[in-house]
Amino acid sequence: MNYRIKFIDPRIDFAFKKIFGSEDAKDILISFLESLLQLEGDRRIQTLTLLDPFLAPRIREMKYSILDVKCTDHRGISYIVEMQVQKVEAFLKQIQYKTAKVYVNQLPAGEDYTILNKVIGITITDFVLFKNFNHYISHHENRETITGHSYLSDILHCFIELPKFTKSLEELDAVIDKWIYFVKYAGSLDRIPDIMHTEPFFRAFERARVANMNAEELEMYENACMAIVNARGAVVNARQEGKKEGKTEILTRILQHRFGTIPEWVHEKMIQAEPSALDEWTLRILGATTLDGVFEDRI
């Protein structure tokens, strides 16, 4: 039976945390982490503790790291996974800083360094981050430059770049590819794909159903969506303003070189002008003999 369903978009921090960060859905997160980090055999996750679980009333102010997880594998080795989605200023620097901070904060003053657990930072980007390669999953660690061996292996980074993932439903063989497809496309689907009518994917879709959200969760999700729209709009405006400032600065320098001191009315005219007008006035300088000749209105 085919019927249309509306799902929340896992690329939104609120939605991702609701789907993957709840105590009653640990199997969903374990499947995602084991497939992404290629955990097999005794490296598979035995226990998982959500250090910051999904609690709707407490996440009105979403922090940069949307999900903190402590995992223990079958060998008894523990590690902490910190997941992030949204782009922020100095993106890579902040990711490295926060992951290192998680590592350092494990150790209370005066404690033994042997208690430190491995920290893995997982970052999902809705934009291309590394432009010099095409693979959509990349793992980053410190290695000795001559031998290529990894001796400093307690802090690792894993990135998923969604724009680089272009596989169709028919091409989804690996578990991690199904999860990436879910994260990238669930918000635009109107039914659960047949290939994902198995656990834990089916339950992830069920958790993503808008119809299963209460009024408070729906309001918070809509606010999170609007915040992203506003943030992207601010970036576009900033870029446009930056272009205008650059054009204004160039025009001012040329005017000063050609005509000397620039009167206040010229500065005011440039501040109020559109970028296209700044381009036109810059071209006019080539043939104008006076400031009035540059800025005169023409029909």
Side-chain angles (χ1 to χ4, degrees), residues 74-126:
H74 286 264
R75 301 168 297 173
I77 296 176
S78 297
Y79 55 93
I80 292 173
V81 176
E82 187 179 60
M83 306 190 68
Q84 301 139 347
V85 176
Q86 299 302 324
K87 185 177 184 179
V88 294
E89 186 177 0
F91 190 67
L92 287 176
K93 289 183 180 296
Q94 285 212 31
I95 287 171
Q96 293 175 86
Y97 171 79
K98 286 188 65 66
T99 307
K101 191 173 181 180
V102 170
Y103 185 74
V104 171
N105 286 346
Q106 296 180 77
L107 188 66
E111 291 290 343
D112 187 350
Y113 290 103
T114 59
I115 72 171
L116 288 172
N117 297 316
K118 179 178 292 188
V119 174
I120 302 174
I122 297 176
T123 303
I124 303 171
T125 70
D126 202 20

Side-chain angles (χ1 to χ4, degrees), residues 85-203:
V85 176
Q86 299 302 324
K87 185 177 184 179
V88 294
E89 186 177 0
F91 190 67
L92 287 176
K93 289 183 180 296
Q94 285 212 31
I95 287 171
Q96 293 175 86
Y97 171 79
K98 286 188 65 66
T99 307
K101 191 173 181 180
V102 170
Y103 185 74
V104 171
N105 286 346
Q106 296 180 77
L107 188 66
E111 291 290 343
D112 187 350
Y113 290 103
T114 59
I115 72 171
L116 288 172
N117 297 316
K118 179 178 292 188
V119 174
I120 302 174
I122 297 176
T123 303
I124 303 171
T125 70
D126 202 20
F127 55 90
V128 173
L129 182 60
F130 304 109
K131 297 182 179 180
N132 59 337
F133 58 77
N134 294 324
H135 45 280
Y136 47 89
I137 299 176
S138 59
H139 298 271
H140 305 255
E141 62 181 22
N142 289 321
R143 289 186 178 273
E144 199 279 323
T145 58
I146 303 299
T147 64
H149 294 162
S150 178
Y151 300 102
L152 306 176
S153 58
D154 270 8
I155 299 179
L156 306 174
H157 293 277
C158 179
F159 293 88
I160 300 175
E161 299 174 81
L162 295 179
K164 292 181 178 179
F165 181 82
T166 59
K167 289 188 176 182
S168 65
L169 278 170
E170 294 73 22
E171 297 174 301
L172 302 182
D173 294 324
V175 173
I176 186 56
D177 285 345
K178 293 179 182 178
W179 280 125
I180 297 176
Y181 187 93
F182 171 81
V183 171
K184 184 173 181 178
Y185 296 113
S188 62
L189 299 177
D190 58 15
R191 68 179 185 88
I192 302 175
D194 292 339
I195 196 174
M196 294 187 180
H197 272 267
T198 58
E199 296 295 352
F201 303 105
F202 182 83
R203 197 148 69 89

Side-chain angles (χ1 to χ4, degrees), residues 1 13 49 73 106 157 214 245 268 271:
M1 177 178 180
D13 47 13
T49 303
D73 63 23
Q106 296 180 77
H157 293 277
N214 60 41
E245 289 176 4
E268 290 294 331
I271 290 173

Side-chain angles (χ1 to χ4, degrees), residues 255-272:
L255 290 171
Q256 288 173 336
H257 180 75
R258 182 75 179 274
F259 301 108
T261 303
I262 306 301
E264 187 63 29
W265 68 267
V266 171
H267 289 294
E268 290 294 331
K269 197 172 183 68
M270 288 192 293
I271 290 173
Q272 298 174 12

Side-chain angles (χ1 to χ4, degrees), residues 190-227:
D190 58 15
R191 68 179 185 88
I192 302 175
D194 292 339
I195 196 174
M196 294 187 180
H197 272 267
T198 58
E199 296 295 352
F201 303 105
F202 182 83
R203 197 148 69 89
F205 273 102
E206 286 296 301
R207 295 188 63 81
R209 289 185 63 174
V210 171
N212 291 337
M213 298 175 69
N214 60 41
E216 182 181 29
E217 291 173 345
L218 185 58
E219 178 185 2
M220 293 171 67
Y221 172 68
E222 291 174 347
N223 289 340
C225 292
M226 185 59 65

